[in-house]
Amino acid sequence: MKIIGEKINGTRKRVGLAIAERDADFIKDLAQKQASAGSTWLDVNAGTHPDREPDDLIWLIETIQSVVETPLSLDSANPKALQIAVKAVKKTPMINSISGEPERLANVLPLVAEHGCPVIALAMDEKKIPETAEKRFDVITKIITATRAHGIPDSNLYFDPLAMTISTNTQSALIAFKTMRRVREEYPEAHLTIGLSNISFGLPGRSFVNRTFLSLAIQAGLDSAILDPLDREIQAAILATELILGQDNHCLNYIRASRKGLFDKTE
Ligand code: THG
């Protein structure tokens, strides 16, 4: 399971403030903690000001890269910001994200192909999220036709089936799982990812919902996720799920985490 650390996101209040005030120490600390917690990529989202996004993104990238070597996941819907950001990174970044929207595909796929980037593709069109797994899969097929035409290998694709909140549609998780299983069958080289915390929005006891969803999603084929890597209970749930599903040879990862104190009580 590859983790994309979610914490450097300008839509979070404290991070938005740090970006506005150019509080480098706060961002560096988030970068170091998430890197030590085993993130494969650190998501970098500058927030919601389109006019300031390119400058904010560059400052974030340079600040993060001054303390960690972990590759970044450039989280922006703006192709121009992505183009500028790709030039500022030291290591090949993940692009988060494309969708079935023709304009976004046309603008971003050349960049992805040229730099050999892994890329997250949302199972949605021009800002519309299909209601059924079948229709989400159709969007995914449309995307993969376009990525293949640009010479992008399926193994660089991370499809995000989109976890809509269960409180507004009780079938949301099932739709995501069904989409994932279909991708696993039809495009076995492609990967799957998901933004974990959406699923529980508006519900009490969110962490229980998130963790249980994550375990079931791993069984449906999820092999990466955008989540809080500093959450020990999420980390423990991932390790226990992989252990149970026979994905942890000789139980090594599970036992190693135990030796490092992951299951120790903190108080
Ligand atoms: N798919 C893809 N990319 C994404 C998402 C997705 N990027 C953004 C988002 N969704 C994932 N990132 C975050 C980052 C932080 C938080 C949630 C998702 C977060 N949320 C707090 C919470 O849920 O309680 C509230 C905010 C706060 O702490 O201030 O921290 O789905 N491809």
Side-chain angles (χ1 to χ4, degrees):
M1 180 79 184
K2 288 184 171 163
I3 293 175
I4 306 168
E6 74 178 10
K7 295 192 95 74
I8 304 177
N9 189 312
T11 65
R12 299 176 66 218
K13 246 194 185 147
R14 186 61 189 83
V15 175
L17 191 70
I19 294 170
E21 295 180 344
R22 293 294 189 255
D23 180 354
D25 287 343
F26 185 81
I27 300 296
K28 286 180 189 172
D29 183 55
L30 284 183
Q32 280 166 323
K33 283 183 176 149
Q34 292 188 103
S36 317
S39 304
T40 300
W41 294 276
L42 299 183
D43 200 62
V44 187
N45 183 317
T48 50
H49 300 279
D51 46 326
R52 295 212 303 263
E53 192 186 8
D55 282 351
D56 288 350
L57 207 46
I58 297 296
W59 177 76
L60 282 170
I61 290 168
E62 286 172 355
T63 304
I64 297 163
Q65 288 184 158
S66 72
V67 288
V68 299
E69 297 284 320
T70 314
L72 305 180
S73 158
L74 304 174
D75 189 349
S76 170
N78 176 357
K80 286 227 170 67
L82 287 173
Q83 268 158 12
I84 295 167
V86 163
K87 297 203 179 91
V89 295
K90 285 193 212 155
K91 293 200 170 162
T92 303
M94 176 171 252
I95 300 293
N96 181 13
S97 57
I98 57 170
S99 69
E101 190 181 345
E103 206 185 308
R104 208 144 136 195
L105 287 172
N107 286 325
V108 182
L109 288 189
L111 193 72
V112 169
E114 184 192 345
H115 296 271
C117 302
V119 60
I120 297 178
L122 310 178
M124 63 184 279
D125 283 307
E126 295 85 312
K127 300 203 164 28
K128 245 189 66 208
I129 300 173
E131 293 283 337
T132 65
E134 289 72 21
K135 286 186 185 151
R136 288 191 201 176
F137 182 77
D138 290 344
V139 174
I140 286 168
T141 296
K142 184 172 113 182
I143 294 171
I144 215 163
T145 304
T147 53
R148 285 174 176 175
H150 278 81
I152 296 161
D154 289 3
S155 58
N156 268 356
L157 302 177
Y158 288 73
F159 286 109
D160 182 339
L162 298 166
M164 307 313 290
T165 171
I166 289 186
S167 61
T168 54
N169 178 357
T170 54
Q171 305 305 297
S172 290
L174 291 176
I175 294 166
F177 298 153
K178 201 168 171 189
T179 310
M180 290 190 227
R181 292 201 160 92
R182 188 85 196 278
V183 172
R184 270 279 150 278
E185 255 169 44
E186 309 277 344
Y187 307 120
E189 299 296 314
H191 302 276
L192 292 164
T193 197
I194 206 146
L196 184 61
S197 61
N198 242 8
I199 197 81
S200 62
F201 193 79
L203 290 169
R206 291 186 66 178
S207 65
F208 295 106
V209 179
N210 289 346
R211 266 181 274 149
T212 306
F213 173 72
L214 183 58
S215 293
L216 294 169
I218 294 171
Q219 187 166 35
L222 189 76
D223 60 357
S224 84
I226 308 169
L227 51 76
D228 178 2
L230 306 187
D231 184 328
R232 289 153 54 97
E233 297 191 313
I234 288 180
Q235 293 276 12
I238 291 171
L239 288 163
T241 305
E242 290 177 341
L243 179 80
I244 289 164
L245 294 177
Q247 297 174 7
D248 186 2
N249 283 335
H250 307 290
C251 314
L252 265 181
N253 293 336
Y254 190 82
I255 290 166
R256 198 175 287 145
S258 166
R259 293 211 178 107
K260 280 193 182 163
L262 184 66
F263 309 127
D264 297 353
K265 293 265 180 289
T266 43
E267 301 136 90

